[in-house]
Amino acid sequence: MQLRISRQALKFLSDLDAKQYKQVGSAILSLLGNPVPQDSLIPRGGRERERRIDVGEYRIIYATQIEVVEVILIGKRNGDEIYKLWERLRK
């Protein structure tokens, strides 16, 4: 399984404090072993291969392919800001 992380997701990840970085990074790496964990959901308006998971106060939006997990966005859970950005990226 291969992991790809978008530039936006890497930027968000690099700005996190050490504790949150470890928490979110660990969740991302766990997707390599199980790309569709039980608590993952298809985001509003998403396609079958697009999923989201919540990690503490953060939300990770990612897509799965046959041998690839692609992290598209990471953002705060509260509010719809991450969904607005995701919609802009999808167009």
Side-chain angles (χ1 to χ4, degrees), residues 58-75:
Y58 300 99
R59 179 160 288 153
I60 301 169
I61 296 179
Y62 65 100
T64 60
Q65 297 173 9
I66 292 175
E67 285 295 319
V68 178
V69 172
E70 179 181 5
V71 177
I72 300 167
L73 286 173
I74 305 170

Side-chain angles (χ1 to χ4, degrees), residues 1 8 11 24 27 30-31 41 51 62 66 68-70 77 79 84:
M1 192 64 95
Q8 291 94 342
K11 168 103 176 73
V24 172
S30 73
L31 293 173
L41 299 170
R51 312 289 294 178
Y62 65 100
I66 292 175
V68 178
V69 172
E70 179 181 5
R77 271 179 56 182
K84 290 175 185 173

